Amino acid sequence: QARLVESGGKSVQAGGSLKLSCGGSGYRFSSCNMAWYRQSPGKERTLVSEIKYSGSVTYTESVKGRFTTSRDNTNNTLFLEMKDLRTDDAGVYICAACGYSNTGFDHWGQGTQVTVSS
């Protein structure tokens, strides 16, 4: 059974940095596209970044130049490094695996909370 577990979320001040992790198990990690989504209160879940199994990465416009997504296929871990955090970056960050952002992913984590204070 596939499982995704996020970690690393915490409360930081605006301008700060944070690195999130997502450990995957129960599926072929290296063969799957993966993604980070953000769920903010009162808003729809939005795509933050998508990384293909090949390693190519795309970002939503608002995080370009500030966020970096990477993956460690040896340790089955997905990362999201966030810099220059803004208050509107706050939310629950959720990782997803095996699929595409335009058609959906098969596996989802529970999320990790990021709070950004001004």
Side-chain angles (χ1 to χ4, degrees):
Q1 183 176 356
R3 187 175 182 221
L4 296 171
V5 180
E6 302 92 338
S7 62
K10 63 179 183 180
S11 182
V12 296
Q13 288 194 323
S17 300
L18 207 54
K19 187 172 185 177
L20 306 182
S21 301
C22 172
S25 61
Y27 66 97
R28 191 171 292 182
F29 185 95
S30 61
S31 299
C32 278
N33 303 327
M34 297 191 71
W36 284 103
Y37 284 81
R38 177 173 61 230
Q39 178 76 61
S40 302
K43 297 182 180 179
E44 292 186 358
R45 184 172 60 194
T46 58
L47 177 68
V48 174
S49 176
E50 182 174 10
I51 183 167
K52 300 294 176 61
Y53 68 89
S54 63
S56 65
V57 186
T58 56
Y59 301 94
T60 192
E61 193 63 34
S62 66
V63 308
K64 286 180 180 178
R66 300 187 298 120
F67 288 15
T68 302
T69 294
S70 61
R71 61 191 299 163
D72 179 351
N73 290 337
T74 299
N75 294 299
N76 292 357
T77 305
L78 175 71
F79 300 101
L80 180 65
E81 188 168 7
M82 304 184 289
K83 298 180 180 179
D84 191 21
L85 282 160
R86 305 168 181 170
T87 54
D88 58 2
D89 293 324
V92 177
Y93 282 74
I94 303 163
C95 66
C98 303
Y100 297 89
S101 58
N102 58 345
T103 56
F105 289 91
D106 292 335
H107 313 303
W108 294 85
Q110 293 297 309
T112 186
Q113 178 73 50
V114 173
T115 303
V116 184
S117 58
S118 58

